[in-house]
Amino acid sequence: MSLRRQELAENLRDAHRRIEAACSAAHRSPDQITLIAVTKTWPVSDLLRLIDLGVRDFGESREQEGHAKFSDVQSAVPDAPVLWHFIGQIQSNKAARIGEWADVVHSVDREGLITPLARAGRDIQALIQISLDGDSGRGGVDPADLAALARQVTDGGLMLRGVMGVAPLHGDPRSAFERLHALSEALVIENPNATWISAGMSGDLEHAIAAGATHVRLGTSILGSRY
Ligand SMILES: *Cc1c(COP(=O)(O)O)cnc(C)c1O
């Protein structure tokens, strides 16, 4: 086993242990949590190692980089049942291209993205990113506009699956994730299939799982430090 493969295997095992411990503390089942390996900035060779280690969900945050990795993985392992998650802020002029390869888009935060994302005619699962810090500069719709955007997503031909949030840079991640959970519960009343909550990164996954996260997005803790 190469050193890198061994490192990734250990990191994955540690991440699953953290998820299990957080689930146990929250009286939840680890079956309810999907681990997304955030592979931005890391080479395709790492994705292939992770696929070999059983990872099926990959998160990318840039169109060109993600698109290239999608193509390379498809050629290398055409039968791998990989799900591609787009998790970054979306520039309007990139949305149509993202719609050509992403399976799940976590960062739908305005109406103008919907038609271009749906243009390629693929079944795209959409999460609405909600701003949890009152600073729309980091992406995310204002909570007050969530219900309206949810209707537009559904009318626009994307499959609405839930919400996504990023903890504020400063402040308490737990209360932010609890707010996200409450917004999710309100959304599910009108949209019974929109049960996913994408929340939690390497530094705060325990808080996210305690507050109901169904998808955690782990970069550093699986792949190492990007810098
Ligand atoms: C980079 C990124 C992550 C992963 O962050 P880590 O701290 O490396 O786990 C998760 N979510 C989003 C939106 C990201 O951009």
Side-chain angles (χ1 to χ4, degrees):
M1 209 183 339
S2 78
L3 270 181
R4 180 58 171 161
R5 185 188 148 100
Q6 206 166 321
E7 182 184 10
L8 293 173
E10 281 168 17
N11 290 348
L12 259 182
R13 201 184 49 218
D14 291 347
H16 281 295
R17 284 195 185 135
R18 273 180 75 189
I19 290 170
E20 280 158 26
C23 283
S24 163
H27 307 290
R28 300 184 60 200
S29 162
D31 297 347
Q32 300 173 345
I33 314 293
T34 299
L35 185 165
I36 300 168
V38 176
T39 43
K40 64 188 185 201
T41 75
W42 296 98
V44 173
S45 53
D46 278 345
L47 281 82
L48 297 177
R49 290 184 183 103
L50 288 170
I51 289 170
D52 205 41
L53 291 166
V55 173
R56 294 293 174 260
D57 292 85
F58 291 98
E60 289 285 336
S61 60
R62 288 174 187 272
E63 197 288 315
Q64 267 190 311
E65 181 187 346
H67 209 147
K69 287 180 192 167
F70 161 82
S71 304
D72 290 351
V73 166
Q74 283 240 308
S75 338
V77 275
D79 298 332
V82 167
L83 215 54
W84 294 91
H85 298 256
F86 193 88
I87 63 170
Q89 279 186 255
I90 304 178
Q91 291 169 260
S92 298
N93 63 350
K94 301 280 173 65
R97 294 271 292 165
I98 292 167
E100 293 171 10
W101 61 275
D103 299 300
V104 186
V105 178
H106 292 229
S107 41
V108 177
D109 63 0
R110 57 192 189 277
E111 184 184 11
L113 301 175
I114 299 168
T115 302
L117 280 172
R119 190 166 297 149
R122 296 170 60 252
D123 284 337
I124 294 183
Q125 314 193 71
L127 304 183
I128 295 181
Q129 182 178 350
I130 302 177
S131 172
L132 299 175
D133 58 3
D135 172 10
S136 58
R138 296 177 69 219
V141 68
D142 188 297
D145 300 326
L146 172 61
L149 183 56
R151 273 189 294 276
Q152 290 161 343
V153 166
T154 304
D155 292 348
L158 304 177
M159 292 187 285
L160 180 64
R161 295 310 308 271
V163 294
M164 183 271 235
V166 178
L169 280 177
H170 308 286
D172 177 17
R174 183 65 162 267
S175 60
F177 291 144
E178 276 165 3
R179 182 131 182 267
L180 184 66
H181 187 218
L183 292 162
S184 160
E185 289 191 317
L187 181 72
V188 170
I189 293 172
E190 298 284 319
N191 304 272
N193 294 321
T195 53
W196 293 3
I197 302 179
S198 168
M201 319 196 332
S202 296
D204 55 22
L205 79 85
E206 285 81 6
H207 292 297
I209 287 176
T214 62
H215 291 66
V216 294
R217 310 179 305 269
L218 305 184
T220 318
S221 60
I222 305 286
L223 289 127
S225 180
R226 288 183 292 274
Y227 306 102

